[in-house]
Amino acid sequence: MDELIRLDALGAGGPYHSRSRQTITELTGTPVAELSLVPRLFVQRSMAALHEARTLPAHDRVAALTRAGRLFATGVVDGIAAEKYQHIVSRVSGMPITVVRSATSGIGRRAAEAYRTTRYARPEGAVDDWRDPLTRNGQAVWTRRGDVFAVHAAGNHPGVHTLWLEALALGYRVAVRPSRREPFTPHRLITALRESGFGDDQVVLLPTDYTVADDIIRDADLAMVYGGEEVVNKYGNDVRVLPQGPGRSKILLTGHDWETHLGMIVESVSAFGGTACVNATAVFVEGDPAPVAEAVAERLSAIPSLPPEDDGAVLPVQPVADAHAIEKYLLDHVNGATPVLGGDGVVDDLGDGSGVLRPAVFLVDRPDAPQTGIELSFPCVWFAPWSRADGIEPLRNTLVLTAITQDAGLVDRLVEDPSIRNVYLGDTPTYLMPPWVPHDAYLGEFLMRTKGVIRT
């Protein structure tokens, strides 16, 4: 058997190989790596060191982020080449290899662009430094709300690790608690950052069990936490924490020309293997949704079942027992919906202990059906009828809403609704997220504030 990859914790004093370790397995159950889990005292000392550290100058941060992005995406980090890293992530997480490759290059680009991207969030009337000549007569200075930023990361897509790079760019020291589902990406990224100019006391990786996880949040000034509805409920009222909960992204089709948007709908449902918060999970159709659902199901049914490391793979793969658990959850929540695709099950057993999660398409009979709020980790979409009389209520609480409509008054209401975080008009897939477009608002809006400075 190949030697297990050693994923040490990365504390403020350097790598740490703990006595408590978790074995990380690939889809078939074969051990791949050992992840060191750190105790409470280690977390407390690491967080204290972050608070005591001095922030690097802005120009040094920009240069180090650029070098780190290049190293992460193309170099050898901790003895692992980029191609091998991508294969490992695909085999462990079940994400299609093409998605992992795209995410790898995306992280590299976003690291290089991280400081520039933060500029989109800065108020036009603010400056970065109190020494700016404009402060002589009085000016807003854009300044951090704290010094230490903590992240409880998700493991559904490597791309979640692009966002916290902006905190580093703004001068925060950062602590990341990785998902034990996929710890390879943050370990590689933080190692690359340290090899590129960030000190051990600037960015740390703190894998922990659940009993210690909250200590990282408690000891930080601000935090971002990924998870399901329980995360939103737990942290939603804490002004120090930015919860990143379910996306429940949606599409609204008005008029009768849905055929021209069929490709956009299919891509919105299936991109990234259907695992991202920006994947569409509900489509609302003005008129009869059945023909649209059937056309989408026909396209999705043609996607082949392949192991994730195959270049032709599109769909996610899970250990077969986990895949059947997801399938059971889905079928237990059909509750009268009409299956168009996947009604008899969604697991395609690959025969090696893993199973492909195949697409599912269902019809519900009203726009407020509770199934339209279900978000699963594979392409699963619910089609519902919608009319002008239904208004925007069924469309609320969504990360991205793509609306095919010519009704300016309706667009006004969608843009004004605070629970709809992004509105895309026309043939724009829900997953499109260029760096200048906010995700769930700009992260800089949470991390920074303006402070008045007058120098007489």
Side-chain angles (χ1 to χ4, degrees):
M1 185 180 70
D2 293 340
E3 185 178 352
L4 296 183
I5 298 169
R6 181 168 141 173
L7 296 176
D8 290 343
L10 301 174
Y16 175 72
H17 191 61
S18 69
R19 287 180 294 178
S20 176
R21 296 186 292 274
Q22 177 172 347
T23 300
I24 307 297
T25 61
E26 63 138 55
L27 298 165
T28 62
T30 302
V32 174
E34 280 192 333
L35 177 66
S36 287
L37 302 180
V38 299
R40 177 167 282 112
L41 182 59
F42 188 93
V43 167
Q44 292 170 348
R45 288 176 174 172
S46 296
M47 298 301 288
L50 294 185
H51 280 285
E52 293 170 4
R54 299 295 298 273
T55 296
L56 291 175
H59 60 88
D60 290 340
R61 299 196 302 267
V62 172
L65 280 161
T66 301
R67 289 192 296 269
R70 187 182 309 115
L71 178 59
F72 173 88
T74 63
V76 177
V77 179
D78 204 19
I80 297 177
E83 185 175 350
K84 181 179 180 182
Y85 150 76
Q86 292 161 358
H87 180 83
I88 292 167
V89 170
S90 181
R91 284 301 306 170
V92 169
S93 69
M95 185 165 294
I97 187 69
T98 54
V99 176
V100 180
R101 288 175 186 149
S102 176
T104 303
S105 59
I107 291 171
R109 289 193 306 272
R110 292 295 288 268
E113 298 169 354
Y115 186 80
R116 182 173 62 85
T117 302
T118 66
R119 306 295 88 189
Y120 299 119
R122 193 188 74 176
E124 187 174 346
V127 296
D128 288 323
D129 195 304
W130 67 267
R131 300 172 183 83
D132 191 293
L134 290 174
T135 61
R136 294 189 183 280
N137 295 317
Q139 195 76 14
V141 175
W142 207 40
T143 185
R144 292 189 303 275
R145 292 178 58 208
D147 291 312
V148 176
F149 183 57
V151 182
H152 279 194
N156 62 312
H157 191 289
V160 300
H161 295 285
T162 61
L163 199 53
W164 59 259
L165 292 171
E166 293 186 16
L168 267 184
L170 288 167
Y172 278 87
R173 280 83 73 194
V174 176
V176 178
R177 177 181 182 261
S179 165
R180 289 186 277 181
R181 174 182 172 187
E182 198 277 273
F184 299 95
T185 296
H187 191 278
R188 179 179 179 86
L189 182 54
I190 290 173
T191 302
L193 288 163
R194 290 178 167 203
E195 291 182 8
S196 300
F198 283 96
D200 292 353
D201 60 357
Q202 299 288 315
V203 56
V204 298
L205 183 78
L206 301 176
T208 69
D209 62 26
Y210 293 107
T211 63
V212 183
D214 278 346
D215 290 45
I216 301 174
I217 305 298
R218 183 199 64 208
D219 292 347
D221 296 315
L222 297 172
M224 180 168 63
V225 182
Y226 289 85
E229 198 65 42
E230 71 283 356
V231 164
V232 176
N233 294 335
K234 181 176 181 179
Y235 296 108
N237 295 322
D238 190 335
V239 296
R240 297 171 50 252
V241 179
L242 180 65
Q244 298 289 286
R248 300 192 177 99
S249 296
K250 303 174 179 69
I251 296 172
L252 172 65
L253 299 171
T254 69
H256 304 285
D257 63 341
W258 60 265
E259 291 94 341
T260 61
H261 304 293
L262 184 58
M264 178 273 291
I265 301 169
V266 172
E267 282 294 304
S268 294
V269 172
S270 62
F272 313 131
T275 63
C277 56
V278 291
N279 284 115
T281 54
V283 178
F284 296 84
V285 181
E286 187 177 34
D288 183 6
V292 192
E294 290 163 1
V296 169
E298 183 178 6
R299 292 271 190 102
L300 293 174
S301 66
I303 299 174
S305 293
L306 296 168
E309 71 274 16
D310 191 296
D311 284 341
V314 173
L315 301 173
V317 181
Q318 290 289 308
V320 72
D322 295 346
H324 279 297
I326 295 170
E327 177 185 68
K328 182 179 186 304
Y329 179 90
L330 169 64
L331 298 180
D332 285 347
H333 288 78
V334 171
N335 292 340
T338 301
V340 182
L341 179 66
D344 295 327
V346 295
V347 178
D348 194 353
D349 194 329
L350 292 177
D352 62 354
S354 67
V356 177
L357 284 162
R358 295 201 52 78
V361 178
F362 289 85
L363 280 164
V364 293
D365 59 5
R366 65 182 202 274
D368 62 345
Q371 293 96 324
T372 60
I374 293 175
E375 181 175 282
L376 297 173
S377 56
F378 71 103
C380 178
V381 61
W382 308 81
F383 283 78
W386 179 88
S387 70
R388 311 286 166 131
D390 296 313
I392 69 167
E393 185 62 31
L395 309 174
R396 299 183 73 248
N397 299 308
T398 183
L399 179 59
V400 182
L401 173 67
T402 289
I404 307 297
T405 181
Q406 300 297 319
D407 185 341
L410 174 60
V411 175
D412 283 340
R413 294 193 295 277
L414 296 175
V415 172
E416 291 165 2
D417 188 285
S419 75
I420 302 172
R421 277 93 82 195
N422 299 280
V423 177
Y424 295 173
L425 303 176
D427 199 51
T428 307
T430 56
Y431 64 81
L432 188 65
M433 279 284 168
W436 54 88
V437 174
H439 179 69
D440 186 357
Y442 290 118
L443 182 59
E445 297 176 51
F446 176 71
L447 296 176
M448 307 291 281
R449 55 159 293 186
T450 53
K451 179 181 296 187
V453 175
I454 301 175
R455 292 192 291 148
T456 57

